[in-house]
Structures are given as structure tokens and as C-alpha cells.
Amino acid sequence: MRARGLIAEAERLHSHEFAAALAAAESEMEEILPGHASEEVRTLLDAEETRVNEALLLAEILVPLIAEKINLARPSTEQVSVRAPAPHPRASARPAAVPRHRDDPAPSIADLIDGMLGQENSAH
Amino acid sequence: MTTATLDKPTLSAQPASPPPSDISAPRQPAAKTKIVLVGFDFGTNKSCLLAGSAGSTDIAVSKVIPTVVGYVKDGIVDGIIAGNARVLFGEDALRARLHVKMVAPLREGIIADPDVARDFLKQVRALADPSGTAEIRAVIGMPANAGETARDDVRRCAQGIFDRVLMIPEPFLAALGYREDSRVGQPNYVDPVTNSLFIDIGGGTSDLCLVQGVFPSRDDQVSIPFAGDAIDQLMQEELDRTYPNNGLTRLRVREIKETHAYVGPSRKPLDVKVILSGKAHQLELGDVIGRACNTLVDKIYPALTTLIARASSDSVVTLLQNIVVTGGGSQIRGLDTVLQQRLIADGYEAPKVKLAGHDFQRYVAIGALKASRAARENQWQVLLDCRKVSAGPPGPPSSPAQLAAG
């Protein structure tokens, strides 16, 4: 979610639902592995974080190469712009809503929702 | 205007919903292969639900439901309540008002009782997805400028019931719902999303919103905690002064208002038949109703002119032609005329105030369903279900927002 720019939503999930789910998981594990639940959960989370970071790193290396291949393969002169993902999810942010002139033709609903989410993020 | 549940003809077959007594049954843990999109107007007095499958334009479910939950009182003889259900919703609860403890989950547009709200949302889910196995993505209407606490309350109540949600201000959704998509781009059609001012008068709040082609900022929206319920209260207070011991419940007062509401000059005499202590009486309520309803005009007019003043000089002339009143309050006779006359009297250039029309109860939900179909994958807020950790099964509320009915 952070990689997609949903920073505020990710923070909310992390501090509320995720924290509650984590507490529940630790509580259940405590019954199976008394005294080691917290450590087990932490190991699991560390492993997952490493996996995600490696996947992002791989994507960062591969995406420009793939984009280059696509550009070479396309007969059109049109340039394809593919941006590599941010090196770390926390560094990325939702793209700001594009200001629309009030005389412009009908905006798409998805763009309007983007505007709303942009406002919510700035409020946070 | 009635309190009846309106069932629009559906475009595809709709299986019967499960009995209300099943609301506490856990959902079957099954793979969610189907996505159901929901447009939901969670109103203080009436809610509107529209639902359909993702990838389809069909509307499989279309219902207007009184926003009330009825918990069956102890000691009710078997067979009195259909299916011996313990919990009833909407019209069913109102019909069984003698035998249930009626609770409204919302007050002034926001959640007043989370447990009751959850029970209501479970019923909404059951109506939208009778199989109980689909992934539910719901766009939920919120009062304009609803605070973060109010939004968090909705999110918490929806956890484990809906899978993904988006909360969008109601008057903006009304504009989306009111928009005739097939006419957008035609030279003689003024797209309400491009330049309009929406006034959505509900039960708990009156929401005004300037819609000008971008998502309205907080300054473009005004929410006033004076709407249908406040009119009911004013009427009841004056009735109690004029006719002491009249015995009229709030629900009956609301019915009287929904039948006779008007604004503008007094329409006295306006005789209303009421039954008191088993005997029929004619009460003259012209002034009681007129004074209460005209208070609404006094409350919303300053907000209306404030928002008009925010429009740019090159857009305001068209905007003045596109002021739309929707929600239950749009059924108050003369409201469009009175607002328009006030604007003219104050020197505004050729204003035109119009009523949204017969679908006034559904525009917010229509807009919400449109938004659900247009939302990008990364725009949804994912709700993780951790209720099993933090809450037990639903039961009758401990601190209910009681309805003065029955």
C-alpha cells in the first residue's frame, strides 16, 4: 500500500487492524509456544520484510530493462515511459491530484476519487 | 413521501435474503471468487442500497430501508414475530414496533451505536450478497465534512462485513448519481459534476456542496445539523405546547410532516386527522408545520450564499442555473421556489433552484455505485477483519439511541 502511495491508509492499518491482528496471533502462539510467541512472530515478520525488500530491489533492476526491451520492440516512434518503483516503499507517495481547470470537460470519476484521496492524505 | 421500503424492479433475479435472525451466524470461510459492488447511502432515517456484480452494469439489488433495528422484547409469544426472529430491520421492525425495542444506529448522520450499526450493516451485506461468499466492495456516503472519528467509526463497524470501502461525501455522490452519463458532452446538457450546487437534506444533516469538476475541498462543503429530525422535534415541541397530552409519538409526527410539509407563507388552515385515546380529532397544524419547515430555510440559506460566493465569476452564472435540492427534504412543498425567490430578492442573477425529482432517495446510492464501478484497485481501503479479537457477538445495545416510537 505504501508503494502505491496509500501512506495514510497503510499507517492506519498498521496501527489499528494490523496491531490487533498481531496481538491476537501472539496470544494464540503463546498457548503453543509459551514464552517464545513474541520472538516467533518477530522472526516471521522479519523474514517477510526481507522478502518484500528483495522483490522491490529485483523489480527496480528489472523494470528499466524490460522497458528498454519494449521500446526496442515497438515499431512506433512513441516513447514508452516506465518508471522504476521507489527504492523503498516508505519513500513513495500517492501522485498529487492534477488540478483541473473549471472549464475542462467532464472529469473521470476515478480522477475525482484521486482528488479526494489526495486531500485526505494532505490533511493527514 | 412515505416510510415504505421501495423495491425497484431488478434487472436480474434476486434470491431471497436470509432471515434476519441469521445475522449473528458466522460467514462460511470460502474462497471469494465473486466481487459484489455496493453503493450505500447510510442515512439517519432511511438508507438506500444498490448492488451489482463487478464487471456488469446490472443492478441486482435496489432497496430503500428505514435505518432502524428492532430487538425483539423478551417474553413475546412464539409465532408473533415471523420466523421467531430475534432481530428485525427497517420496515419489518417498524411494523413490529409493539414487540421490539427499536434502535436507530445513526444520529445526525454519524454512528451513535456501533453494535446496532454493525447489525444493520450485516443485514445490508445479506441483501447485497445472499450467498455470503462474495468479496464486498462498498462505497459509503458520509455527511459533508465528516470528521476522521466519524469515518473511523464506519470503518470499524464495517470490518468483517465489507472487504473494501471508500467513503465519499453524500452531496458529491448525489451529483454523480444525478448526472445523466449518456448526455455528458451534449451541447445543451449542463453536467452537474462540472458546475452545480447540491443541497442534500436528509434526516440528520443538511449537506451543501459546490461541485465544479474537481473533488470539492472542505471549504466547498457545508454540513448543517438541522434536517428532517430537527423539524420533527420543533413540531413536537410546539404540538406539546398547543395540545398538551396529545400522545403523538415522534414517528407519527414524522408521518404528519412527510404528508403536509411546506415552506413559504402560511397555508393555514391545514387540518390533520389524528387518533387520540382512540378518538378521531382534527388538529389545525398549518402554522406548526410551516414554522418548523421555514426554520430549515433559515438554516440552509446562509450556507447556500456562502458557497455561491466561493464560485469564480466566470462560473457563477451557470452555477446559479444549476442548484439542485435532493434527499427527503426535497419533498417539502415550495422549498425550491422559496430558495429561488430569496436569491432573486438578494439580487442574484437569474437563479434557478430545482428539485432532483422522484429518485431523490436514491441519488446518493446511485452515485456511490457509479463510484464503486469506476474506482481503481488502489483507491479502495482494505478492511482487515480483526473483530474476532476485539469484540464478541452482537447483541442488544447497552446505550441505544432510542426511537420515540411505539
Side-chain angles (χ1 to χ4, degrees):
Chain A
M1 292 180 78
R2 289 186 178 110
R4 288 174 175 174
L6 299 168
I7 309 293
E9 181 61 12
E11 288 299 332
R12 189 189 64 75
L13 280 174
H14 189 265
S15 55
H16 293 93
E17 287 91 337
F18 182 70
L22 198 60
E26 283 186 6
S27 164
E28 282 181 18
M29 203 169 274
E30 190 63 37
E31 292 174 10
I32 304 164
L33 296 167
H36 293 87
S38 192
E39 189 185 335
E40 285 294 321
V41 170
R42 179 52 47 202
T43 306
L44 192 66
L45 287 177
D46 287 347
E48 284 302 303
E49 192 171 343
T50 306
R51 192 176 64 81
V52 170
N53 284 339
E54 285 173 358
L56 283 167
L57 190 64
L58 191 63
E60 194 182 355
I61 295 166
L62 283 181
V63 169
L65 293 174
I66 293 168
E68 198 177 321
K69 294 255 182 205
I70 291 170
N71 274 336
L72 288 173
R74 281 171 81 105
S76 157
T77 55
E78 181 190 341
Q79 290 294 305
V80 178
S81 170
V82 181
R83 193 162 56 86
H88 192 280
R90 284 183 189 277
S92 71
R94 168 184 289 280
V98 179
R100 182 178 289 273
H101 189 273
R102 292 195 167 182
D103 290 336
D104 281 356
S108 84
I109 295 174
D111 287 343
L112 292 165
I113 296 172
D114 257 345
M116 177 187 80
L117 296 173
Q119 285 182 25
E120 284 177 7
N121 281 342
S122 359
H124 284 116
Chain B
M1 188 163 55
T2 72
T3 58
T5 297
L6 304 178
D7 292 327
K8 281 216 148 194
T10 55
L11 300 178
S12 58
Q14 181 196 341
S17 59
S21 55
D22 282 350
I23 60 153
S24 59
R27 276 191 279 141
Q28 294 298 315
K32 293 179 176 178
T33 53
K34 184 183 167 193
I35 295 174
V36 171
L37 300 175
V38 169
F40 186 50
D41 177 4
F42 203 178
T44 306
N45 290 332
K46 288 198 184 80
S47 294
C48 181
L49 160 72
L50 298 180
S53 297
S56 158
T57 55
D58 286 357
I59 298 175
V61 182
S62 172
K63 284 183 181 298
V64 175
I65 315 162
T67 314
V68 64
V69 181
Y71 296 93
V72 177
K73 294 172 182 170
D74 291 336
I76 300 295
V77 177
D78 278 3
I80 295 287
I81 304 292
N84 289 325
R86 301 304 303 156
V87 187
L88 300 175
F89 299 91
E91 206 63 49
D92 290 336
L94 291 174
R95 269 195 295 270
R97 70 182 73 159
L98 280 180
H99 307 299
V100 300
K101 177 181 174 184
M102 278 210 284
V103 190
L106 304 191
R107 192 185 298 129
E108 293 181 358
I110 58 176
I111 290 176
D113 193 315
D115 289 336
V116 180
R118 269 186 74 75
D119 285 350
F120 193 79
L121 290 181
K122 282 176 187 169
Q123 174 68 359
V124 168
R125 190 205 152 96
L127 292 169
D129 170 37
S131 73
T133 59
E135 176 182 323
I136 304 286
R137 299 183 179 188
V139 171
I140 303 173
M142 294 292 291
N145 285 338
E148 195 52 38
T149 308
R151 300 165 75 86
D152 269 345
D153 286 347
V154 171
R155 268 191 288 263
R156 264 193 291 274
C157 286
Q159 274 171 7
I161 300 171
F162 300 148
D163 297 278
R164 298 181 185 210
V165 297
L166 256 179
M167 283 172 279
I168 300 180
E170 284 158 5
F172 180 74
L173 289 176
L176 278 185
Y178 185 70
R179 180 193 223 182
E180 294 177 60
D181 296 318
S182 61
R183 294 184 63 195
V184 172
Q186 290 179 2
N188 58 344
Y189 180 67
V190 180
D191 178 2
V193 176
T194 305
N195 198 1
S196 67
L197 201 158
F198 265 73
I199 305 171
D200 180 16
I201 304 168
T205 60
S206 297
D207 295 332
L208 294 87
C209 183
L210 193 59
V211 186
Q212 294 199 298
V214 290
F215 190 82
S217 69
R218 294 189 76 79
D219 290 341
D220 293 335
Q221 305 175 63
V222 178
S223 185
I224 302 165
F226 188 99
D229 288 351
I231 294 175
D232 299 343
Q233 189 178 337
L234 286 182
M235 281 176 59
Q236 191 155 34
E237 284 168 4
E238 188 157 350
L239 276 166
D240 288 345
R241 280 195 298 271
T242 316
Y243 303 100
N245 306 316
N246 59 65
L248 294 172
T249 63
R250 179 62 62 85
L251 204 58
R252 178 68 186 119
V253 171
R254 185 188 300 170
E255 286 170 358
I256 292 170
K257 176 198 69 181
E258 290 180 344
T259 309
H260 300 285
Y262 75 92
V263 291
S266 173
R267 297 191 181 191
K268 194 177 177 179
L270 202 163
D271 292 331
V272 177
K273 181 182 173 182
V274 296
I275 307 294
L276 304 176
S277 303
K279 295 177 184 174
H281 295 263
Q282 293 283 343
L283 303 185
E284 201 295 298
L285 299 182
D287 286 342
V288 171
I289 295 171
R291 270 194 288 270
C293 293
N294 278 311
T295 307
L296 176 71
V297 177
D298 294 337
K299 297 275 184 187
I300 63 177
Y301 186 75
L304 174 62
T305 54
T306 300
L307 290 184
I308 291 171
R310 282 189 56 77
S312 65
S313 58
D314 55 350
S315 70
V316 74
V317 174
T318 311
L319 176 77
L320 285 167
Q321 296 284 308
N322 225 11
I323 300 170
V324 183
V325 186
T326 187
S330 67
Q331 299 303 289
I332 298 174
R333 290 174 189 79
L335 185 58
D336 51 342
T337 310
V338 166
L339 287 173
Q340 187 169 305
Q341 284 171 347
R342 275 211 190 183
L343 289 169
I344 292 169
D346 282 348
Y348 288 92
E349 179 65 22
K352 188 172 179 186
V353 180
K354 51 195 165 191
L355 304 177
H358 70 282
D359 257 350
F360 67 93
Q361 288 181 311
R362 292 167 21 99
Y363 284 121
V364 171
I366 293 171
L369 189 62
K370 284 183 186 177
S372 74
R373 288 187 165 139
R376 299 188 190 105
E377 201 66 20
N378 66 343
Q379 291 176 326
W380 291 99
Q381 297 180 342
V382 181
L383 296 178
L384 300 179
D385 181 11
C386 53
R387 292 286 298 192
K388 60 188 176 208
V389 178
S390 58
S398 54
S399 56
Q402 297 279 355
L403 279 189

